[in-house]
Amino acid sequence: MALAAASPSPRDAAGNQLEPLKPAAEQAARLCTGDQRWCAGIDDDSATLSVFTGPTGAAVASVELEQDEDETLAVWPQMARLAAPGAGVLIGVERRRSASYSGGGGGTTVLELIQVWPDRSRPPRSVLTLPLKGEIMIRACFSKQDFADRKGACQDIYTFDATLTLAPETASGPPKFQFATLAKAFPPKASRGTPTPSLKRLKKSELVPTPDLACSYRRVLAFDPKSQTYRPDSPLPDCDDYTTP
């Protein structure tokens, strides 16, 4: 059976390209573009991000990453190849954190984009940090009465999922990105800042995850030459319930 041809990676009108990264056959610790032109990997011992122009060659750029004790690092499995001559690439680092506590726990992922110039003409720089994923579960039942009132739904659950894609209409200069999020709470009354007793006596209709409209939003992110970072077209809301473990 013939394999279907791979769909082209998204490009904007300026020629900037967002493409997937996959493990290299020669170096499984490296993620590479389909044409093997760009690869990236993180050394866990030194928390160093390295960028390569091939799956087996030496690093052309390295970044020492700051890392908290409760944080693990991974290469974001996408890369933005910039169209402007000499502009390099945007490599993503996923910063993953987890926490556990009585009756619950959770994990979150934050994305940091770093611009890298392979000719070492400039030092790498962080240009964007965004929440990418979250799943928090907190116990809510402490007695048989709690169990009955909550119809057996004994955990408050908060989920957050985000996507970062190219804005295709960008005609020149650095890429713009579209950022879309979906946050859901279960039950819909759940709030990490609200005492558990106020969440009793759930209705059957409330036993489904419900989108939180305040934390489900869309933004366009554009590069700001003054700050040398990406800025949203309007401020991001405070969604710590979903993005802080």
Side-chain angles (χ1 to χ4, degrees):
M1 179 178 177
L3 296 175
S7 58
S9 299
R11 291 178 183 265
D12 60 22
N16 300 299
Q17 185 174 7
L18 187 64
E19 50 195 306
L21 299 177
K22 297 182 179 180
E26 300 90 340
Q27 289 277 359
R30 298 183 187 181
L31 299 183
C32 299
T33 55
D35 62 3
Q36 305 282 291
R37 172 67 178 82
W38 293 97
C39 301
I42 293 178
D43 182 280
D44 293 332
D45 294 332
S46 62
T48 299
L49 168 69
S50 296
V51 180
F52 312 86
T53 53
T56 59
V60 296
S62 296
V63 186
E64 293 184 6
L65 304 168
E66 294 184 3
Q67 182 181 20
D68 293 339
E69 289 185 3
D70 63 344
E71 193 175 53
T72 59
L73 305 173
V75 174
W76 186 48
Q78 295 191 75
M79 183 203 73
R81 197 183 309 211
L82 306 182
V89 295
L90 299 180
I91 299 290
V93 174
E94 293 185 355
R95 297 181 172 274
R96 302 169 182 170
R97 292 183 176 180
S98 60
S100 59
Y101 26 81
S102 178
T108 60
T109 301
V110 170
L111 173 66
E112 179 183 8
L113 280 189
I114 298 173
Q115 187 170 5
V116 173
W117 289 265
D119 59 2
R120 299 181 184 270
S121 59
R122 304 184 196 179
R125 66 183 178 194
S126 179
V127 297
L128 177 64
T129 301
L130 290 169
L132 196 63
K133 190 174 183 63
E135 185 170 4
I136 314 293
M137 294 183 290
I138 298 176
R139 181 172 293 280
C141 291
F142 298 97
S143 67
K144 291 182 179 180
Q145 189 60 52
D146 284 346
F147 187 89
D149 287 339
R150 288 181 60 98
K151 307 292 191 296
C154 284
Q155 283 189 313
D156 296 343
I157 301 175
Y158 307 83
T159 61
F160 182 92
D161 289 286
T163 58
L164 188 68
T165 57
L166 279 183
E169 69 277 5
T170 304
S172 62
K176 292 182 180 179
F177 293 101
Q178 296 172 333
F179 183 58
T181 74
L182 176 61
K184 292 183 179 182
F186 173 81
K189 294 179 182 179
S191 169
R192 292 174 68 178
T194 301
T196 298
S198 66
L199 301 179
K200 290 185 175 182
R201 299 181 182 177
L202 295 178
K203 301 176 182 177
K204 287 185 178 181
S205 60
E206 295 174 318
L207 298 179
V208 293
T210 302
D212 182 333
L213 299 183
C215 288
S216 300
Y217 56 88
R218 292 178 178 271
R219 297 288 188 273
V220 174
L221 306 163
F223 187 74
D224 174 32
K226 185 176 181 179
S227 66
Q228 295 289 289
T229 60
Y230 275 87
R231 296 292 182 89
D233 53 357
S234 60
L236 305 186
D238 180 0
C239 297
D240 282 354
D241 274 5
Y242 301 92
T243 59
T244 301

